[in-house]
mmCIF file with all atom_site columns, all heavy atoms in Angstrom:
data_model
loop_
_atom_site.group_PDB
_atom_site.id
_atom_site.type_symbol
_atom_site.label_atom_id
_atom_site.label_alt_id
_atom_site.label_comp_id
_atom_site.label_asym_id
_atom_site.label_entity_id
_atom_site.label_seq_id
_atom_site.pdbx_PDB_ins_code
_atom_site.Cartn_x
_atom_site.Cartn_y
_atom_site.Cartn_z
_atom_site.occupancy
_atom_site.B_iso_or_equiv
_atom_site.pdbx_formal_charge
_atom_site.auth_seq_id
_atom_site.auth_comp_id
_atom_site.auth_asym_id
_atom_site.auth_atom_id
_atom_site.pdbx_PDB_model_num
ATOM   1   N N   . GLY A 1 20  ? 72.409 90.069  121.584 1.00 0.00 ? 306 GLY A N   1
ATOM   2   C CA  . GLY A 1 20  ? 72.090 89.883  123.005 1.00 0.00 ? 306 GLY A CA  1
ATOM   3   C C   . GLY A 1 20  ? 70.787 90.566  123.384 1.00 0.00 ? 306 GLY A C   1
ATOM   4   O O   . GLY A 1 20  ? 70.723 91.305  124.374 1.00 0.00 ? 306 GLY A O   1
ATOM   5   N N   . SER A 1 22  ? 67.942 89.107  124.296 1.00 0.00 ? 308 SER A N   1
ATOM   6   C CA  . SER A 1 22  ? 66.995 88.269  125.030 1.00 0.00 ? 308 SER A CA  1
ATOM   7   C C   . SER A 1 22  ? 66.600 88.861  126.374 1.00 0.00 ? 308 SER A C   1
ATOM   8   O O   . SER A 1 22  ? 65.576 88.504  126.942 1.00 0.00 ? 308 SER A O   1
ATOM   9   C CB  . SER A 1 22  ? 67.577 86.865  125.239 1.00 0.00 ? 308 SER A CB  1
ATOM   10  O OG  . SER A 1 22  ? 68.790 86.942  125.954 1.00 0.00 ? 308 SER A OG  1
ATOM   11  N N   . ARG A 1 23  ? 67.422 89.762  126.891 1.00 0.00 ? 309 ARG A N   1
ATOM   12  C CA  . ARG A 1 23  ? 67.065 90.351  128.192 1.00 0.00 ? 309 ARG A CA  1
ATOM   13  C C   . ARG A 1 23  ? 67.862 91.645  128.390 1.00 0.00 ? 309 ARG A C   1
ATOM   14  O O   . ARG A 1 23  ? 68.680 92.028  127.554 1.00 0.00 ? 309 ARG A O   1
ATOM   15  C CB  . ARG A 1 23  ? 67.355 89.369  129.327 1.00 0.00 ? 309 ARG A CB  1
ATOM   16  C CG  . ARG A 1 23  ? 68.817 89.008  129.420 1.00 0.00 ? 309 ARG A CG  1
ATOM   17  C CD  . ARG A 1 23  ? 69.058 87.970  130.496 1.00 0.00 ? 309 ARG A CD  1
ATOM   18  N NE  . ARG A 1 23  ? 70.473 87.631  130.549 1.00 0.00 ? 309 ARG A NE  1
ATOM   19  C CZ  . ARG A 1 23  ? 70.956 86.554  131.117 1.00 0.00 ? 309 ARG A CZ  1
ATOM   20  N NH1 . ARG A 1 23  ? 70.137 85.685  131.667 1.00 0.00 ? 309 ARG A NH1 1
ATOM   21  N NH2 . ARG A 1 23  ? 72.247 86.339  131.146 1.00 0.00 ? 309 ARG A NH2 1
ATOM   22  N N   . ILE A 1 25  ? 69.571 95.171  128.793 1.00 0.00 ? 311 ILE A N   1
ATOM   23  C CA  . ILE A 1 25  ? 69.690 96.382  127.971 1.00 0.00 ? 311 ILE A CA  1
ATOM   24  C C   . ILE A 1 25  ? 69.357 96.071  126.501 1.00 0.00 ? 311 ILE A C   1
ATOM   25  O O   . ILE A 1 25  ? 68.668 96.840  125.834 1.00 0.00 ? 311 ILE A O   1
ATOM   26  C CB  . ILE A 1 25  ? 71.115 96.967  128.118 1.00 0.00 ? 311 ILE A CB  1
ATOM   27  C CG1 . ILE A 1 25  ? 71.340 97.430  129.574 1.00 0.00 ? 311 ILE A CG1 1
ATOM   28  C CG2 . ILE A 1 25  ? 71.338 98.119  127.151 1.00 0.00 ? 311 ILE A CG2 1
ATOM   29  C CD1 . ILE A 1 25  ? 72.782 97.816  129.910 1.00 0.00 ? 311 ILE A CD1 1
ATOM   30  N N   . ASN A 1 43  ? 69.005 89.107  118.253 1.00 0.00 ? 329 ASN A N   1
ATOM   31  C CA  . ASN A 1 43  ? 69.892 87.948  118.384 1.00 0.00 ? 329 ASN A CA  1
ATOM   32  C C   . ASN A 1 43  ? 69.947 87.462  119.832 1.00 0.00 ? 329 ASN A C   1
ATOM   33  O O   . ASN A 1 43  ? 69.871 88.247  120.773 1.00 0.00 ? 329 ASN A O   1
ATOM   34  C CB  . ASN A 1 43  ? 71.306 88.349  117.911 1.00 0.00 ? 329 ASN A CB  1
ATOM   35  C CG  . ASN A 1 43  ? 72.385 87.488  118.540 1.00 0.00 ? 329 ASN A CG  1
ATOM   36  O OD1 . ASN A 1 43  ? 73.094 87.917  119.451 1.00 0.00 ? 329 ASN A OD1 1
ATOM   37  N ND2 . ASN A 1 43  ? 72.496 86.254  118.090 1.00 0.00 ? 329 ASN A ND2 1
ATOM   38  N N   . PRO A 1 45  ? 71.955 83.873  122.023 1.00 0.00 ? 331 PRO A N   1
ATOM   39  C CA  . PRO A 1 45  ? 72.785 82.686  121.807 1.00 0.00 ? 331 PRO A CA  1
ATOM   40  C C   . PRO A 1 45  ? 71.968 81.397  121.733 1.00 0.00 ? 331 PRO A C   1
ATOM   41  O O   . PRO A 1 45  ? 72.381 80.434  121.110 1.00 0.00 ? 331 PRO A O   1
ATOM   42  C CB  . PRO A 1 45  ? 73.726 82.671  123.015 1.00 0.00 ? 331 PRO A CB  1
ATOM   43  C CG  . PRO A 1 45  ? 73.114 83.567  124.031 1.00 0.00 ? 331 PRO A CG  1
ATOM   44  C CD  . PRO A 1 45  ? 72.238 84.526  123.310 1.00 0.00 ? 331 PRO A CD  1
ATOM   45  N N   . ARG A 1 46  ? 70.814 81.399  122.399 1.00 0.00 ? 332 ARG A N   1
ATOM   46  C CA  . ARG A 1 46  ? 69.938 80.213  122.384 1.00 0.00 ? 332 ARG A CA  1
ATOM   47  C C   . ARG A 1 46  ? 68.490 80.689  122.325 1.00 0.00 ? 332 ARG A C   1
ATOM   48  O O   . ARG A 1 46  ? 68.129 81.628  123.041 1.00 0.00 ? 332 ARG A O   1
ATOM   49  C CB  . ARG A 1 46  ? 70.071 79.419  123.701 1.00 0.00 ? 332 ARG A CB  1
ATOM   50  C CG  . ARG A 1 46  ? 71.371 78.694  123.911 1.00 0.00 ? 332 ARG A CG  1
ATOM   51  C CD  . ARG A 1 46  ? 71.506 78.296  125.373 1.00 0.00 ? 332 ARG A CD  1
ATOM   52  N NE  . ARG A 1 46  ? 71.441 79.464  126.240 1.00 0.00 ? 332 ARG A NE  1
ATOM   53  C CZ  . ARG A 1 46  ? 72.463 80.277  126.504 1.00 0.00 ? 332 ARG A CZ  1
ATOM   54  N NH1 . ARG A 1 46  ? 73.643 80.049  125.999 1.00 0.00 ? 332 ARG A NH1 1
ATOM   55  N NH2 . ARG A 1 46  ? 72.308 81.331  127.288 1.00 0.00 ? 332 ARG A NH2 1
ATOM   56  N N   . SER A 1 72  ? 75.715 82.480  118.624 1.00 0.00 ? 358 SER A N   1
ATOM   57  C CA  . SER A 1 72  ? 76.579 82.903  119.707 1.00 0.00 ? 358 SER A CA  1
ATOM   58  C C   . SER A 1 72  ? 77.661 83.784  119.099 1.00 0.00 ? 358 SER A C   1
ATOM   59  O O   . SER A 1 72  ? 78.514 83.309  118.347 1.00 0.00 ? 358 SER A O   1
ATOM   60  C CB  . SER A 1 72  ? 77.181 81.667  120.387 1.00 0.00 ? 358 SER A CB  1
ATOM   61  O OG  . SER A 1 72  ? 77.871 82.089  121.530 1.00 0.00 ? 358 SER A OG  1
ATOM   62  N N   . VAL A 1 73  ? 77.622 85.074  119.417 1.00 0.00 ? 359 VAL A N   1
ATOM   63  C CA  . VAL A 1 73  ? 78.490 86.020  118.709 1.00 0.00 ? 359 VAL A CA  1
ATOM   64  C C   . VAL A 1 73  ? 79.968 85.865  119.054 1.00 0.00 ? 359 VAL A C   1
ATOM   65  O O   . VAL A 1 73  ? 80.817 86.487  118.428 1.00 0.00 ? 359 VAL A O   1
ATOM   66  C CB  . VAL A 1 73  ? 78.058 87.494  118.944 1.00 0.00 ? 359 VAL A CB  1
ATOM   67  C CG1 . VAL A 1 73  ? 76.676 87.751  118.370 1.00 0.00 ? 359 VAL A CG1 1
ATOM   68  C CG2 . VAL A 1 73  ? 78.123 87.865  120.423 1.00 0.00 ? 359 VAL A CG2 1
ATOM   69  N N   . ASN A 1 99  ? 75.522 94.830  121.422 1.00 0.00 ? 385 ASN A N   1
ATOM   70  C CA  . ASN A 1 99  ? 75.168 94.884  122.849 1.00 0.00 ? 385 ASN A CA  1
ATOM   71  C C   . ASN A 1 99  ? 75.618 93.657  123.626 1.00 0.00 ? 385 ASN A C   1
ATOM   72  O O   . ASN A 1 99  ? 75.913 93.760  124.820 1.00 0.00 ? 385 ASN A O   1
ATOM   73  C CB  . ASN A 1 99  ? 73.647 95.036  122.970 1.00 0.00 ? 385 ASN A CB  1
ATOM   74  C CG  . ASN A 1 99  ? 73.162 94.728  124.367 1.00 0.00 ? 385 ASN A CG  1
ATOM   75  O OD1 . ASN A 1 99  ? 73.244 95.573  125.261 1.00 0.00 ? 385 ASN A OD1 1
ATOM   76  N ND2 . ASN A 1 99  ? 72.679 93.505  124.592 1.00 0.00 ? 385 ASN A ND2 1
ATOM   77  N N   . SER A 1 150 ? 79.923 100.052 125.357 1.00 0.00 ? 436 SER A N   1
ATOM   78  C CA  . SER A 1 150 ? 81.149 100.036 126.159 1.00 0.00 ? 436 SER A CA  1
ATOM   79  C C   . SER A 1 150 ? 80.702 100.034 127.620 1.00 0.00 ? 436 SER A C   1
ATOM   80  O O   . SER A 1 150 ? 79.642 99.491  127.952 1.00 0.00 ? 436 SER A O   1
ATOM   81  C CB  . SER A 1 150 ? 82.024 101.242 125.808 1.00 0.00 ? 436 SER A CB  1
ATOM   82  O OG  . SER A 1 150 ? 83.188 101.247 126.586 1.00 0.00 ? 436 SER A OG  1
ATOM   83  N N   . TYR A 1 164 ? 87.316 92.316  131.809 1.00 0.00 ? 450 TYR A N   1
ATOM   84  C CA  . TYR A 1 164 ? 86.085 92.987  131.359 1.00 0.00 ? 450 TYR A CA  1
ATOM   85  C C   . TYR A 1 164 ? 86.385 94.444  130.967 1.00 0.00 ? 450 TYR A C   1
ATOM   86  O O   . TYR A 1 164 ? 85.977 94.914  129.896 1.00 0.00 ? 450 TYR A O   1
ATOM   87  C CB  . TYR A 1 164 ? 85.042 92.932  132.474 1.00 0.00 ? 450 TYR A CB  1
ATOM   88  C CG  . TYR A 1 164 ? 83.734 93.629  132.145 1.00 0.00 ? 450 TYR A CG  1
ATOM   89  C CD1 . TYR A 1 164 ? 82.799 93.019  131.319 1.00 0.00 ? 450 TYR A CD1 1
ATOM   90  C CD2 . TYR A 1 164 ? 83.444 94.896  132.650 1.00 0.00 ? 450 TYR A CD2 1
ATOM   91  C CE1 . TYR A 1 164 ? 81.597 93.658  131.009 1.00 0.00 ? 450 TYR A CE1 1
ATOM   92  C CE2 . TYR A 1 164 ? 82.253 95.543  132.348 1.00 0.00 ? 450 TYR A CE2 1
ATOM   93  C CZ  . TYR A 1 164 ? 81.326 94.911  131.529 1.00 0.00 ? 450 TYR A CZ  1
ATOM   94  O OH  . TYR A 1 164 ? 80.137 95.548  131.228 1.00 0.00 ? 450 TYR A OH  1
ATOM   95  N N   . LYS A 1 168 ? 86.014 96.457  127.344 1.00 0.00 ? 454 LYS A N   1
ATOM   96  C CA  . LYS A 1 168 ? 85.178 97.652  127.163 1.00 0.00 ? 454 LYS A CA  1
ATOM   97  C C   . LYS A 1 168 ? 86.011 98.849  126.698 1.00 0.00 ? 454 LYS A C   1
ATOM   98  O O   . LYS A 1 168 ? 85.523 99.717  125.973 1.00 0.00 ? 454 LYS A O   1
ATOM   99  C CB  . LYS A 1 168 ? 84.424 97.962  128.459 1.00 0.00 ? 454 LYS A CB  1
ATOM   100 C CG  . LYS A 1 168 ? 83.386 96.883  128.806 1.00 0.00 ? 454 LYS A CG  1
ATOM   101 C CD  . LYS A 1 168 ? 82.321 96.796  127.744 1.00 0.00 ? 454 LYS A CD  1
ATOM   102 C CE  . LYS A 1 168 ? 81.365 95.655  127.915 1.00 0.00 ? 454 LYS A CE  1
ATOM   103 N NZ  . LYS A 1 168 ? 80.342 95.602  126.855 1.00 0.00 ? 454 LYS A NZ  1
ATOM   104 N N   . GLY A 1 195 ? 76.801 103.169 133.289 1.00 0.00 ? 481 GLY A N   1
ATOM   105 C CA  . GLY A 1 195 ? 77.407 103.037 134.618 1.00 0.00 ? 481 GLY A CA  1
ATOM   106 C C   . GLY A 1 195 ? 76.886 101.783 135.291 1.00 0.00 ? 481 GLY A C   1
ATOM   107 O O   . GLY A 1 195 ? 77.158 100.681 134.827 1.00 0.00 ? 481 GLY A O   1
ATOM   108 N N   . ILE A 1 197 ? 73.771 99.679  135.877 1.00 0.00 ? 483 ILE A N   1
ATOM   109 C CA  . ILE A 1 197 ? 72.406 99.475  135.378 1.00 0.00 ? 483 ILE A CA  1
ATOM   110 C C   . ILE A 1 197 ? 71.868 98.176  135.986 1.00 0.00 ? 483 ILE A C   1
ATOM   111 O O   . ILE A 1 197 ? 72.568 97.148  135.985 1.00 0.00 ? 483 ILE A O   1
ATOM   112 C CB  . ILE A 1 197 ? 72.390 99.350  133.828 1.00 0.00 ? 483 ILE A CB  1
ATOM   113 C CG1 . ILE A 1 197 ? 73.196 100.480 133.156 1.00 0.00 ? 483 ILE A CG1 1
ATOM   114 C CG2 . ILE A 1 197 ? 70.956 99.307  133.309 1.00 0.00 ? 483 ILE A CG2 1
ATOM   115 C CD1 . ILE A 1 197 ? 72.692 101.885 133.378 1.00 0.00 ? 483 ILE A CD1 1
ATOM   116 N N   . THR A 1 199 ? 70.375 94.991  135.895 1.00 0.00 ? 485 THR A N   1
ATOM   117 C CA  . THR A 1 199 ? 70.019 93.917  134.955 1.00 0.00 ? 485 THR A CA  1
ATOM   118 C C   . THR A 1 199 ? 70.516 92.605  135.557 1.00 0.00 ? 485 THR A C   1
ATOM   119 O O   . THR A 1 199 ? 71.129 92.590  136.633 1.00 0.00 ? 485 THR A O   1
ATOM   120 C CB  . THR A 1 199 ? 70.712 94.090  133.585 1.00 0.00 ? 485 THR A CB  1
ATOM   121 O OG1 . THR A 1 199 ? 72.124 93.954  133.785 1.00 0.00 ? 485 THR A OG1 1
ATOM   122 C CG2 . THR A 1 199 ? 70.418 95.418  132.925 1.00 0.00 ? 485 THR A CG2 1
HETATM 123 P P1  . LIG B 2 .   ? 72.608 90.851  130.651 1.00 0.00 ? 16  LIG B P1  1
HETATM 124 O O1  . LIG B 2 .   ? 73.491 89.813  131.237 1.00 0.00 ? 16  LIG B O1  1
HETATM 125 O O2  . LIG B 2 .   ? 71.335 91.169  131.314 1.00 0.00 ? 16  LIG B O2  1
HETATM 126 O O3  . LIG B 2 .   ? 72.320 90.533  129.113 1.00 0.00 ? 16  LIG B O3  1
HETATM 127 C C1  . LIG B 2 .   ? 73.363 90.183  128.258 1.00 0.00 ? 16  LIG B C1  1
HETATM 128 C C2  . LIG B 2 .   ? 72.789 89.757  126.941 1.00 0.00 ? 16  LIG B C2  1
HETATM 129 O O4  . LIG B 2 .   ? 73.870 89.330  126.085 1.00 0.00 ? 16  LIG B O4  1
HETATM 130 C C3  . LIG B 2 .   ? 71.858 88.567  127.077 1.00 0.00 ? 16  LIG B C3  1
HETATM 131 O O5  . LIG B 2 .   ? 70.801 88.718  126.164 1.00 0.00 ? 16  LIG B O5  1
HETATM 132 C C4  . LIG B 2 .   ? 72.747 87.387  126.696 1.00 0.00 ? 16  LIG B C4  1
HETATM 133 O O6  . LIG B 2 .   ? 72.033 86.270  126.195 1.00 0.00 ? 16  LIG B O6  1
HETATM 134 C C5  . LIG B 2 .   ? 73.566 88.036  125.600 1.00 0.00 ? 16  LIG B C5  1
HETATM 135 N N1  . LIG B 2 .   ? 74.771 87.270  125.294 1.00 0.00 ? 16  LIG B N1  1
HETATM 136 C C6  . LIG B 2 .   ? 75.741 86.830  126.139 1.00 0.00 ? 16  LIG B C6  1
HETATM 137 N N2  . LIG B 2 .   ? 76.652 86.108  125.461 1.00 0.00 ? 16  LIG B N2  1
HETATM 138 C C7  . LIG B 2 .   ? 76.235 86.078  124.175 1.00 0.00 ? 16  LIG B C7  1
HETATM 139 C C8  . LIG B 2 .   ? 76.734 85.466  123.002 1.00 0.00 ? 16  LIG B C8  1
HETATM 140 N N3  . LIG B 2 .   ? 77.851 84.731  123.010 1.00 0.00 ? 16  LIG B N3  1
HETATM 141 N N4  . LIG B 2 .   ? 76.046 85.628  121.847 1.00 0.00 ? 16  LIG B N4  1
HETATM 142 C C9  . LIG B 2 .   ? 74.912 86.362  121.797 1.00 0.00 ? 16  LIG B C9  1
HETATM 143 N N5  . LIG B 2 .   ? 74.406 86.972  122.882 1.00 0.00 ? 16  LIG B N5  1
HETATM 144 C C10 . LIG B 2 .   ? 75.045 86.813  124.055 1.00 0.00 ? 16  LIG B C10 1
HETATM 145 O O7  . LIG B 2 .   ? 73.535 92.160  130.557 1.00 0.00 ? 16  LIG B O7  1
HETATM 146 P P2  . LIG B 2 .   ? 73.173 93.716  130.359 1.00 0.00 ? 16  LIG B P2  1
HETATM 147 O O8  . LIG B 2 .   ? 71.897 93.858  129.663 1.00 0.00 ? 16  LIG B O8  1
HETATM 148 O O9  . LIG B 2 .   ? 73.386 94.391  131.643 1.00 0.00 ? 16  LIG B O9  1
HETATM 149 O O10 . LIG B 2 .   ? 74.389 94.148  129.414 1.00 0.00 ? 16  LIG B O10 1
HETATM 150 C C11 . LIG B 2 .   ? 74.245 94.483  128.042 1.00 0.00 ? 16  LIG B C11 1
HETATM 151 C C12 . LIG B 2 .   ? 75.516 95.178  127.603 1.00 0.00 ? 16  LIG B C12 1
HETATM 152 O O11 . LIG B 2 .   ? 75.697 96.370  128.367 1.00 0.00 ? 16  LIG B O11 1
HETATM 153 C C13 . LIG B 2 .   ? 76.772 94.339  127.820 1.00 0.00 ? 16  LIG B C13 1
HETATM 154 O O12 . LIG B 2 .   ? 77.670 94.548  126.739 1.00 0.00 ? 16  LIG B O12 1
HETATM 155 C C14 . LIG B 2 .   ? 77.359 94.928  129.095 1.00 0.00 ? 16  LIG B C14 1
HETATM 156 O O13 . LIG B 2 .   ? 78.744 94.730  129.192 1.00 0.00 ? 16  LIG B O13 1
HETATM 157 C C15 . LIG B 2 .   ? 76.994 96.388  128.935 1.00 0.00 ? 16  LIG B C15 1
HETATM 158 N N6  . LIG B 2 .   ? 76.984 97.124  130.193 1.00 0.00 ? 16  LIG B N6  1
HETATM 159 C C16 . LIG B 2 .   ? 76.149 96.769  131.220 1.00 0.00 ? 16  LIG B C16 1
HETATM 160 C C17 . LIG B 2 .   ? 76.185 97.475  132.416 1.00 0.00 ? 16  LIG B C17 1
HETATM 161 C C18 . LIG B 2 .   ? 75.313 97.145  133.574 1.00 0.00 ? 16  LIG B C18 1
HETATM 162 O O14 . LIG B 2 .   ? 75.493 97.761  134.635 1.00 0.00 ? 16  LIG B O14 1
HETATM 163 N N7  . LIG B 2 .   ? 74.369 96.230  133.462 1.00 0.00 ? 16  LIG B N7  1
HETATM 164 C C19 . LIG B 2 .   ? 77.110 98.614  132.598 1.00 0.00 ? 16  LIG B C19 1
HETATM 165 C C20 . LIG B 2 .   ? 77.927 98.875  131.456 1.00 0.00 ? 16  LIG B C20 1
HETATM 166 C C21 . LIG B 2 .   ? 77.862 98.172  130.300 1.00 0.00 ? 16  LIG B C21 1
HETATM 167 P P3  . LIG B 2 .   ? 71.549 85.086  127.225 1.00 0.00 ? 16  LIG B P3  1
HETATM 168 O O15 . LIG B 2 .   ? 70.822 85.768  128.326 1.00 0.00 ? 16  LIG B O15 1
HETATM 169 O O16 . LIG B 2 .   ? 70.674 84.234  126.389 1.00 0.00 ? 16  LIG B O16 1
HETATM 170 O O17 . LIG B 2 .   ? 72.808 84.426  127.685 1.00 0.00 ? 16  LIG B O17 1
#
Side-chain angles (χ1 to χ4, degrees):
S308 59
R309 62 184 179 198
I311 295 170
N329 155 256
R332 290 164 302 278
S358 187
V359 296
N385 165 81
S436 179
Y450 178 78
K454 293 297 173 180
I483 311 297
T485 65

